């Protein structure tokens, strides 16, 4: 603390209150900085929440675009999830599954240049049904939907299909295993070569049976 006279002979102490004032200013500035940081964090959190809500709403709108009327607004039970049937040795990844009064209903989305549903879609959905039922114990409808999105226009059209039973899928699985392991003398080739284009066994089958390049 420094001392001085005020010109009248009265001694005045000024160092102490200057130091205290400086400390108070520093403390106030620190509190203001913390408050500003909290406000910025709050604004960022609110903005993120708004963006997430808008994104989620957009995703839901896109998912429901092209759905049949009976599934619009229905609860999504499962989405893009893999299920396994250890009992039947089947693995399937489904696009969407909706809860309905009749049980879970499957939906498969396909992008194609023309509106067409193939037997392979029915087999895929039928396998999904078995795997989902075995893993969860839930009842899955024997009717499903294939929603085809036109690769040119982007329009979508739903088509209802009736699924195959367990015995049919089991027979197909056994046939598949037999073909892959070469236990079938002369398996019938796919109707068109294009059906083999994305098959993982195309080269192997082509080399063995000489019916696919």
């Amino acid at each position: 603390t420094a001392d001085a006279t005020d010109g009248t002979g009265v001694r005045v102490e000024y160092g102490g209150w200057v130091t205290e004032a400086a400390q108070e200013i520093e403390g106030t500035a620190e509190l203001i900085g913390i408050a500003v940081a909290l406000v910025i964090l709050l604004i960022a959190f609110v903005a993120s929440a708004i963006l997430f809500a808008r994104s989620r709403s957009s995703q839901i709108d896109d998912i429901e675009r092209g759905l049949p009327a009976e599934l619009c607004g229905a609860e999504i039970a499962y989405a893009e999830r893999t299920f396994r049937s250890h009992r039947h040795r089947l693995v399937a990844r489904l696009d969407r599954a909706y809860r309905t009064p009749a049980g879970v209903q499957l939906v498969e989305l396909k992008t194609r240049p023309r509106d067409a549903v193939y037997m392979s879609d029915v087999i895929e959905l039928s396998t999904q049904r078995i795997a989902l039922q075995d893993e969860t114990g839930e009842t899955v409808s024997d009717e499903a939907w294939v929603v085809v999105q036109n690769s040119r226009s982007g329009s979508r059209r739903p088509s209802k299909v009736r699924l195959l039973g367990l015995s049919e899928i089991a027979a197909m699985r056994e046939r598949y295993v037999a073909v892959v392991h070469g236990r079938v003398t002369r398996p019938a080739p796919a109707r068109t070569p294009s059906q083999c284009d994305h098959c993982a066994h195309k080269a192997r089958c082509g080399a063995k049976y000489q019916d696919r390049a």
Side-chain angles (χ1 to χ4, degrees):
T1 302
D3 297 337
T5 59
D6 63 357
T8 61
V10 179
R11 187 169 297 279
V12 179
E13 295 183 359
Y14 61 85
W17 67 263
V18 169
T19 302
E20 291 176 1
Q23 290 175 344
E24 290 180 0
I25 291 172
E26 288 178 1
T28 302
E30 185 177 349
L31 289 174
I32 291 174
I34 293 173
V36 170
L38 289 174
V39 169
I40 292 174
L41 286 174
L42 179 61
I43 292 173
F45 175 78
V46 172
S48 298
I50 292 173
L51 289 174
F52 176 80
R54 288 179 177 175
S55 174
R56 179 65 176 167
S57 176
S58 176
Q59 289 175 357
I60 292 174
D61 289 344
D62 186 63
I63 290 169
E64 292 198 347
R65 184 169 61 88
L67 283 181
E70 63 192 74
L71 291 183
C72 288
E75 176 193 355
I76 298 177
Y78 305 101
E80 297 179 0
R81 180 171 162 182
T82 300
F83 292 90
R84 290 172 173 80
S85 170
H86 297 290
R87 194 170 43 143
H88 301 293
R89 292 179 293 176
L90 295 171
V91 179
R93 182 175 176 83
L94 56 81
D95 276 351
R96 294 286 184 276
Y98 292 84
R99 295 194 192 282
T100 71
V104 176
Q105 198 157 41
L106 299 171
V107 175
E108 187 73 15
L109 176 63
K110 299 293 185 183
T111 301
R112 291 170 176 153
R114 64 190 185 93
D115 180 19
V117 176
Y118 301 109
M119 189 61 192
S120 59
D121 301 328
V122 177
I123 296 171
E124 185 177 0
L125 284 162
S126 301
T127 305
Q128 292 174 14
R129 177 175 180 251
I130 296 168
L132 176 56
Q133 285 189 148
D134 278 8
E135 184 168 323
T136 67
E138 294 193 66
T139 299
V140 182
S141 173
D142 61 358
E143 292 184 335
W145 292 88
V146 179
V147 178
V148 178
Q149 176 172 299
N150 188 285
S151 57
R152 298 187 182 90
S153 66
S155 62
R156 291 182 179 178
R157 182 176 180 275
S159 297
K160 181 180 281 189
V161 295
R162 181 165 292 279
L163 304 182
L164 303 174
L166 174 58
S167 60
E168 294 169 291
I169 293 298
M172 288 181 182
R173 181 192 175 282
E174 293 304 317
R175 171 77 174 177
Y176 168 80
V177 171
V179 170
V180 169
H181 288 85
R183 295 198 297 265
V184 177
T185 304
R186 187 68 186 175
R191 287 176 296 177
T192 62
S194 63
Q195 289 182 289
C196 300
D197 285 346
H198 303 290
C199 178
H201 303 284
K202 178 181 177 181
R204 184 177 178 181
C205 288
K208 185 174 181 64
Y209 302 110
Q210 302 298 314
D211 59 2
R212 291 293 183 267

